[in-house]
Amino acid sequence: MSEEVTSKKKIDLSAKRIVAGWPSVGYDGENERVREFYAKASGTVKSRTSMFAQKKLADIFIFAMALGKNAGITKDYDKKSDRKDTINMDYIANQPEYLWMMIAIAIEESDGNLEIFQDSRKIIDICERYANYGIELLMEMEGRASTSDPYVGYEEKFDDLLQNLKD
Amino acid sequence: MDLESKERLFINKIDIENCGRFYGGGHTISLSNSSEKNITIIIGYSGRGKSTIHDLIYWCLYGEHKKHAEEEHKGLDYGLINTDALEDLSKGEGVTASVTLSLHNDKEEKYLLTRQLKATYIQDSTKREFEPQNNSRVSSGIGFETSAKLIMKNESGDKIIEKNSKIINNEINKQFPQNLSDFFLFDGENLVKFKNQSSSSDFIKDGITKISGLEILDSLMKNSKNTAEKIQTHIGGKSANAAPYSATETRLSAELETLKKEIKNDEIDLLKTQALLNEISEKIRKNKDGSKIISDQTKAQKNKSNASKDLKQNNENIKDMLFEKIPQLLIRDVLQNAEKIFERLENEDKIPPSISRGAIDKILNSNPLKCVCGREFEKNEEEGQPWVILNKIKGAIIEDDLSQGISLGRDLISRIIDVTSMKKLRGDFDNFLEIRREKRRAIQEQDAEIEEFGRQLKEIEYDEQEDLGSLKAKYWDDYTEKSGLLKIKKDELVELNDKWNENHKLLEDALSKEGKYDTEKDKISLGMAVSKFTKHLEKRIEELLRSETQKATSKYFLESAPEKQTFDHVDISENYDIMVKDASDLVASLSKGQAHVLGLAYVAGIREITHTNTFLIIDSPLHNISGIPRNEISEVFSKYLPGVQVVLLVTDTEYLHGDPTGAEPVINILRKNGRVWKEYFIEEVKTKEGIQSRKIEEYNDQ
């Protein structure tokens, strides 16, 4: 343990305060399909069988981010103004697993450079770029659903992951 | 809701003059005040005036007609005032109809209430039109005037006569709240609704709404919201940015209204089909073979319904698993890499080791200390001993933000890796898939059985010479098709509501960016705030009352229902569907008699939670009930309403006669239990002038 690290660099990693001051997470709000997909999680969808019925924007974002990271493909915004930052970090901090999944991706990308914790914008940028690609895959999975088999795309993906990953 | 305990009030005597089919005066009925013999019976052939007595008590109490829909009565020539007395009038003459109630508490007469309607022949007229005071169609040359008189004691104990209608209504409403009148002036026809949970839901919702004052809240909520939305649409139409959303809102609102109306009509239609289906099932049950097959078919339907519920729950489990685990599995290698990176950083002293003072405290709290090698160390505070070394380590740990944050994060990451063990997940997932296959198979099997039973029903020869099996199949198909279409429409409604909400948000956004209309915007905010608060309040009150009603109904039902031991509790759902369930929480099917008792238990339950401590007059309490169930309900009246002044308005058939199925006449059951005080019979008589009237006399079966 190095006291130097904490005192000189003043890194604040307290679990409770970790997201304080972080900017909101965004997505491609100019893309109509993406916007509508995120809007599904506005809380008004009650009776549908959709995977994301009654879920939050943060749930969709994390799912999309994981899909993008797994594919290893990122996607930038066409232009800066396309970005719609509406997902408050509090929603992500409510589920610490989500926060640490984001941090794990960022720390891996920076090869363990702890300075990344001082630049929350950078953590969010990395995750957003994966989510921008992942959302396309997610919409594809959701699109395969039918009333009688609402999670078909997800089940296939799950099965695929269980077959190809090792303990 | 008045939760204070109320003084017990009962009707001692009713006097009727020139009302309905009761011509002239002297129509008097005394009612029981005995707590042992608490039941008074009024018997009459159909159309003799039983319901009239019931409705006249309501009119006398509130000055309003219980059934006063103009549409229903506009073609009728029979109204409040006796028709013969009215038709006999010559120019300038008048006739008065009146009802007087003598209302007592346990010591004395508390109120003497008289309500009158006077008709005066003013001029000749051939025109007849609906007259709301008389509740019928009358010559437009006749004028009507109502009046009321209440004799009561003032604060000093002196008798006073009050003639001001508003004061009278206020005084009476304090003792007999009009919104609770369904629970002391009860229409027995409502009991039939309890055979079917969805047909009773409107009645229950209406009851809970009335006793709670929710009508006022509901209207406040809707009005505030409507006003705010109207202002929004209005100023939205003027704003260039908001105009398209405003136009869309108007269109979507109209579509929503139409769809809601369609759904309401379809629901009524579905209920009618269900009633036809029930009717056919009842007929089939009269046949011995039919009864068995119907029972087997119902069992198969129940099994199918249970399998469907399990399938739904299993789908939810699958959904939860997929939702939670897929993202974690997708980046499992990333999490494992992060774990290694943190380990490396720890080795390089860039982050603290993943250990906390709390963890060391846990170790120190165990005495003796147990090493992983199996050795045990008794507490010993000498230098070099484990206790001392651990305390030194504890002192060296710096629990700052960094160490806490990293520890938490590393812990979470390793937990995610642990719970995404492939072997365990594979096992759980395969198990869910197997359950799904099994439940789908069970549903298919039950479907086949249901179809087979349907085929067998068609082969039976019924007494009625009707092909009841085919009819049942036809109505069942009809019912299935209609309920499927209704479900589609309800889904459409949800979608349309979503669209409306989404568009409304856009309209709000556009208006918030609009620089003008500050006053209107304030009004909108206020309206929406009131609506939101009221909705929240309404929901809480409604939930509380529903739960109280459920408890009280359950209590009475489980005390008094025939074969009560087979039931466990009564449920009233969020949609106000009332269901009796067994110990496995499965919905039990009720016989006609049990359904009637459920209705009575609901009335008794509401009376209890509203502290209604007054008479219970039931018109047609045995409506549409025959055979053994009729006897069972009679037992309920005689055993389970002790101390309540009960008046039953019954037909001669349902009270005096048994039936071929072996049911005993109700009169025998009630008399045997010693609860009947007096029985009256409404006779048809002719006056000296040859006018047909009614006479109420004590019943004598000798």
Side-chain angles (χ1 to χ4, degrees):
Chain A
M1 154 72 208
S2 162
E3 283 184 73
E4 231 181 329
V5 176
T6 50
S7 57
K8 283 184 183 170
K9 297 187 177 174
K10 292 181 183 170
I11 298 167
D12 181 359
L13 282 180
S14 146
K16 284 180 186 172
R17 284 181 280 163
I18 207 157
V19 297
W22 282 35
S24 293
V25 172
Y27 58 87
D28 190 351
E30 280 303 302
N31 181 325
E32 200 182 332
R33 280 179 63 232
V34 173
R35 190 179 64 230
E36 278 186 11
F37 193 79
Y38 271 98
K40 274 190 175 181
S42 59
T44 55
V45 182
K46 283 177 184 164
S47 64
R48 318 287 169 71
T49 44
S50 160
M51 177 68 80
F52 295 99
Q54 288 183 294
K55 298 291 183 196
K56 297 206 162 18
L57 298 177
D59 298 319
I60 296 182
F61 176 80
I62 295 294
F63 216 110
M65 174 194 78
L67 279 167
K69 177 65 188 169
N70 180 263
I73 303 174
T74 60
K75 189 183 165 199
D76 289 322
Y77 295 103
D78 288 341
K79 47 187 190 303
K80 248 185 168 180
S81 59
D82 290 350
R83 184 174 181 275
K84 191 178 176 190
D85 61 337
T86 49
I87 310 172
N88 193 305
M89 277 309 293
D90 286 343
Y91 287 106
I92 288 176
N94 279 344
Q95 298 197 58
E97 290 89 349
Y98 281 179
L99 176 66
W100 282 91
M101 283 161 80
M102 288 175 72
I103 290 174
I105 289 175
I107 200 103
E108 194 205 35
E109 294 273 310
S110 66
D111 197 24
N113 184 355
L114 286 171
E115 285 185 21
I116 195 139
F117 288 106
Q118 287 181 304
D119 190 356
S120 53
R121 177 75 267 166
K122 196 164 182 186
I123 297 177
I124 289 174
D125 277 350
I126 292 169
C127 296
E128 269 183 26
R129 285 165 66 227
Y130 280 122
N132 283 348
Y133 179 74
I135 194 76
E136 298 288 340
L137 303 176
L138 184 54
M139 289 191 291
E140 208 177 288
M141 281 163 80
E142 184 76 5
R144 296 183 56 199
S146 66
T147 321
S148 57
D149 216 344
Y151 318 124
V152 58
Y154 301 94
E155 281 181 24
E156 280 169 12
K157 188 75 196 172
F158 191 59
D159 202 44
D160 187 41
L161 286 165
L162 289 178
Q163 277 181 25
N164 294 314
L165 287 173
K166 284 177 190 153
D167 269 333
Chain B
M1 188 171 59
D2 181 9
L3 292 176
E4 294 298 315
S5 175
K6 278 184 187 166
E7 175 184 30
R8 177 176 173 260
L9 287 174
F10 56 91
I11 300 176
N12 187 52
K13 206 168 73 175
I14 310 165
D15 276 308
I16 299 169
E17 187 177 345
N18 280 327
C19 291
R21 296 183 191 273
F22 299 92
Y23 180 82
H27 305 286
T28 302
I29 313 166
S30 295
L31 303 180
S32 162
N33 172 32
S34 157
S35 55
E36 287 83 37
K37 288 181 175 286
N38 59 324
I39 303 177
T40 308
I41 307 285
I42 301 174
I43 313 160
Y45 297 129
S46 194
R48 283 281 168 87
K50 296 183 304 298
S51 299
T52 306
I53 295 173
H54 182 264
D55 295 346
L56 285 176
I57 296 171
Y58 184 92
W59 178 73
C60 182
L61 287 171
Y62 308 111
E64 286 175 15
H65 296 286
K66 193 166 187 185
K67 296 166 193 158
H68 58 88
E70 186 173 340
E71 276 306 308
E72 197 184 324
H73 285 254
K74 69 180 177 187
L76 292 182
D77 292 331
Y78 298 105
L80 180 85
I81 301 180
N82 179 270
T83 310
D84 288 316
L86 202 60
E87 299 289 326
D88 276 357
L89 290 178
S90 307
K91 211 168 177 179
E93 282 183 350
V95 60
T96 300
S98 74
V99 180
T100 300
L101 294 178
S102 163
L103 296 154
H104 282 226
N105 59 20
D106 285 328
K107 292 182 204 153
E108 58 188 349
E109 183 177 78
K110 186 170 171 98
Y111 300 111
L112 187 65
L113 173 66
T114 303
R115 190 108 24 197
Q116 292 185 327
L117 177 64
K118 187 178 178 189
T120 310
Y121 196 131
I122 302 165
Q123 61 189 39
D124 294 332
S125 172
T126 50
K127 202 174 153 196
R128 293 180 78 81
E129 53 189 23
F130 180 76
E131 163 51 54
Q133 292 185 88
N134 198 52
N135 210 24
S136 74
R137 203 172 60 155
V138 293
S139 159
S140 53
I142 299 176
F144 287 86
E145 193 188 349
T146 51
S147 62
K149 183 172 80 176
L150 180 67
I151 302 175
M152 58 181 174
K153 282 185 179 172
N154 65 12
E155 286 170 358
S156 324
D158 301 323
K159 276 204 170 179
I160 54 163
I161 300 173
E162 183 57 64
K163 288 188 175 173
N164 182 315
S165 290
K166 275 188 183 168
I167 297 174
I168 293 174
N169 290 348
N170 190 34
E171 184 66 28
I172 292 298
N173 252 292
K174 271 198 290 187
Q175 304 295 346
F176 308 96
Q178 193 172 3
N179 57 358
L180 294 182
S181 63
D182 277 345
F183 304 101
F184 46 83
L185 279 167
F186 186 72
D187 185 348
E189 280 189 29
N190 285 319
L191 293 173
V192 181
K193 294 178 182 167
F194 284 80
K195 181 78 179 89
N196 181 317
Q197 66 196 46
S198 51
S199 62
S200 57
S201 60
D202 280 351
F203 180 65
I204 292 176
K205 185 178 181 184
D206 186 52
I208 292 181
T209 307
K210 277 178 180 163
I211 64 174
S212 63
L214 287 179
E215 277 168 325
I216 300 166
L217 283 182
D218 201 41
S219 130
L220 177 63
M221 181 183 77
K222 284 181 185 154
N223 284 342
S224 318
K225 195 162 180 273
N226 281 346
T227 310
E229 283 168 4
K230 271 182 188 158
I231 300 172
Q232 265 166 343
T233 315
H234 177 65
I235 59 172
K238 291 183 187 172
S239 150
N241 287 334
Y245 304 119
S246 178
T248 308
E249 181 156 313
T250 310
R251 178 178 59 80
L252 290 175
S253 298
E255 283 178 25
L256 269 172
E257 275 310 301
T258 313
L259 191 57
K260 279 180 191 168
K261 271 184 200 160
E262 274 182 32
I263 287 175
K264 202 170 178 186
N265 289 338
D266 288 358
E267 279 175 337
I268 294 169
D269 193 29
L270 188 67
L271 281 175
K272 283 181 185 166
T273 310
Q274 196 178 16
L276 285 171
L277 196 59
N278 290 344
E279 206 176 293
I280 297 293
S281 298
E282 286 299 322
K283 281 186 182 175
I284 292 175
R285 278 200 181 92
K286 285 180 185 162
N287 177 294
K288 198 181 165 196
D289 293 337
S291 173
K292 183 173 179 325
I293 297 171
I294 281 265
S295 152
D296 290 344
Q297 197 181 38
T298 309
K299 206 170 158 190
Q301 276 160 348
K302 208 170 181 178
N303 289 342
K304 183 188 167 185
S305 156
N306 288 340
S308 301
K309 268 186 212 160
D310 291 346
L311 181 66
K312 201 176 166 193
Q313 183 54 53
N314 190 60
N315 278 344
E316 282 298 306
N317 294 341
I318 292 177
K319 180 184 166 184
D320 289 346
M321 183 181 207
L322 296 173
F323 175 76
E324 188 188 338
K325 299 299 177 213
I326 288 179
Q328 296 176 353
L329 282 178
L330 283 166
I331 59 161
R332 195 167 189 264
D333 56 341
V334 178
L335 298 169
Q336 283 169 330
N337 284 343
E339 203 177 33
K340 283 180 195 152
I341 289 169
F342 282 122
E343 210 175 298
R344 193 190 79 214
L345 291 170
E346 183 187 321
N347 291 336
E348 290 168 2
D349 275 349
K350 288 184 180 167
I351 57 169
S354 188
I355 189 164
S356 65
R357 276 187 293 217
I360 294 181
D361 273 338
K362 267 190 188 171
I363 302 171
L364 290 172
N365 283 337
S366 58
N367 187 16
L369 280 180
K370 198 172 181 182
C371 177
V372 282
C373 65
R375 283 177 64 195
E376 291 184 348
F377 298 91
E378 290 298 326
K379 193 171 182 179
N380 185 337
E381 293 186 353
E382 283 175 30
E383 192 63 33
Q385 290 297 317
W387 288 90
V388 181
I389 295 169
L390 279 170
N391 266 312
K392 276 186 183 170
I393 295 172
K394 188 181 153 191
I397 291 172
I398 299 163
E399 286 198 334
D400 58 7
D401 290 345
L402 178 66
S403 57
Q404 280 183 25
I406 292 280
S407 286
L408 172 78
R410 290 179 70 182
D411 183 42
L412 274 171
I413 288 172
S414 51
R415 260 195 283 157
I416 295 173
I417 294 168
D418 285 349
V419 295
T420 47
S421 147
M422 299 299 141
K423 206 175 159 190
K424 188 178 178 308
L425 287 181
R426 178 87 261 171
D428 290 348
F429 188 52
D430 287 347
N431 188 31
F432 284 139
L433 297 183
E434 181 51 34
I435 294 174
R436 183 163 71 189
R437 277 190 290 272
E438 188 192 306
K439 295 299 169 191
R440 283 182 176 166
R441 208 166 36 235
I443 291 171
Q444 276 177 356
E445 282 169 9
Q446 296 304 328
D447 270 338
E449 277 196 28
I450 293 165
E451 205 180 320
E452 171 57 21
F453 289 132
R455 195 189 58 72
Q456 290 176 16
L457 286 174
K458 286 183 194 170
E459 285 175 0
I460 296 175
E461 282 185 20
Y462 298 97
D463 293 345
E464 285 89 347
Q465 304 295 316
E466 273 182 291
D467 185 357
L468 297 175
S470 296
L471 270 179
K472 183 171 188 290
K474 179 184 165 293
Y475 288 134
W476 175 253
D477 288 346
D478 202 13
Y479 178 78
T480 317
E481 192 186 336
K482 282 177 180 169
S483 56
L485 288 172
L486 185 62
K487 192 176 176 304
I488 293 172
K489 282 192 182 171
K490 284 185 173 173
D491 284 346
E492 276 176 25
L493 184 69
V494 174
E495 268 182 39
L496 204 52
N497 260 319
D498 285 351
K499 275 189 196 168
W500 191 97
N501 286 329
E502 202 179 318
N503 181 70
H504 191 72
K505 272 185 196 160
L506 296 170
L507 174 63
E508 280 177 341
D509 277 353
L511 285 175
S512 66
K513 286 172 192 156
E514 184 64 65
K516 297 182 279 183
Y517 312 116
D518 283 345
T519 318
E520 286 86 350
K521 281 188 204 168
D522 284 347
K523 284 182 191 166
I524 292 167
S525 306
L526 187 66
M528 286 301 182
V530 171
S531 165
K532 205 173 164 185
F533 172 73
T534 322
K535 193 175 180 181
H536 175 69
L537 195 64
E538 187 183 55
K539 205 163 180 252
R540 285 190 56 191
I541 296 173
E542 184 237 286
E543 273 169 13
L544 178 73
L545 282 172
R546 194 160 43 80
S547 142
E548 289 297 314
T549 309
Q550 183 179 287
K551 262 193 260 169
T553 307
S554 205
K555 188 184 95 180
Y556 282 101
F557 182 73
L558 297 178
E559 259 176 27
S560 54
E563 293 173 47
K564 56 194 177 191
Q565 65 282 358
T566 53
F567 307 119
D568 186 69
H569 61 278
V570 175
D571 252 7
I572 298 178
S573 76
E574 280 183 24
N575 301 326
Y576 300 95
D577 291 334
I578 189 163
M579 290 159 280
V580 177
K581 293 188 170 176
D582 61 20
S584 323
D585 211 33
L586 294 175
V587 178
S589 90
L590 300 183
S591 67
K592 266 189 175 183
Q594 288 163 335
H596 246 64
V597 174
L598 179 63
L600 288 170
Y602 166 71
V603 174
I606 291 273
R607 283 173 66 96
E608 180 181 293
I609 63 172
T610 54
H611 295 251
T612 300
N613 188 11
T614 186
F615 52 86
L616 175 59
I617 298 177
I618 311 184
D619 185 19
S620 306
L622 302 165
H623 179 80
N624 217 7
I625 284 279
S626 56
I628 304 295
R630 192 194 282 169
N631 288 176
E632 291 169 342
I633 295 160
S634 313
E635 293 279 357
V636 173
F637 286 125
S638 54
K639 283 186 189 164
Y640 296 102
L641 292 163
V644 177
Q645 182 187 43
V646 177
V647 181
L648 303 178
L649 296 147
V650 290
T651 64
D652 56 321
T653 326
E654 59 193 16
Y655 189 68
L656 302 174
H657 308 301
D659 71 22
T661 61
E664 227 185 308
V666 173
I667 185 171
N668 295 355
I669 294 172
L670 291 183
R671 283 186 177 179
K672 196 163 56 193
N673 287 318
R675 306 303 284 266
V676 178
W677 181 68
K678 260 183 196 175
E679 290 150 338
Y680 292 96
F681 199 88
I682 308 174
E683 300 265 17
E684 193 173 65
V685 291
K686 271 197 176 171
T687 63
K688 283 180 215 158
E689 302 87 357
I691 294 170
Q692 228 178 37
S693 179
R694 301 285 185 264
K695 193 175 173 189
I696 303 165
E697 287 201 322
E698 267 196 61
Y699 176 68
N700 184 352
D701 57 350
Q702 299 308 309

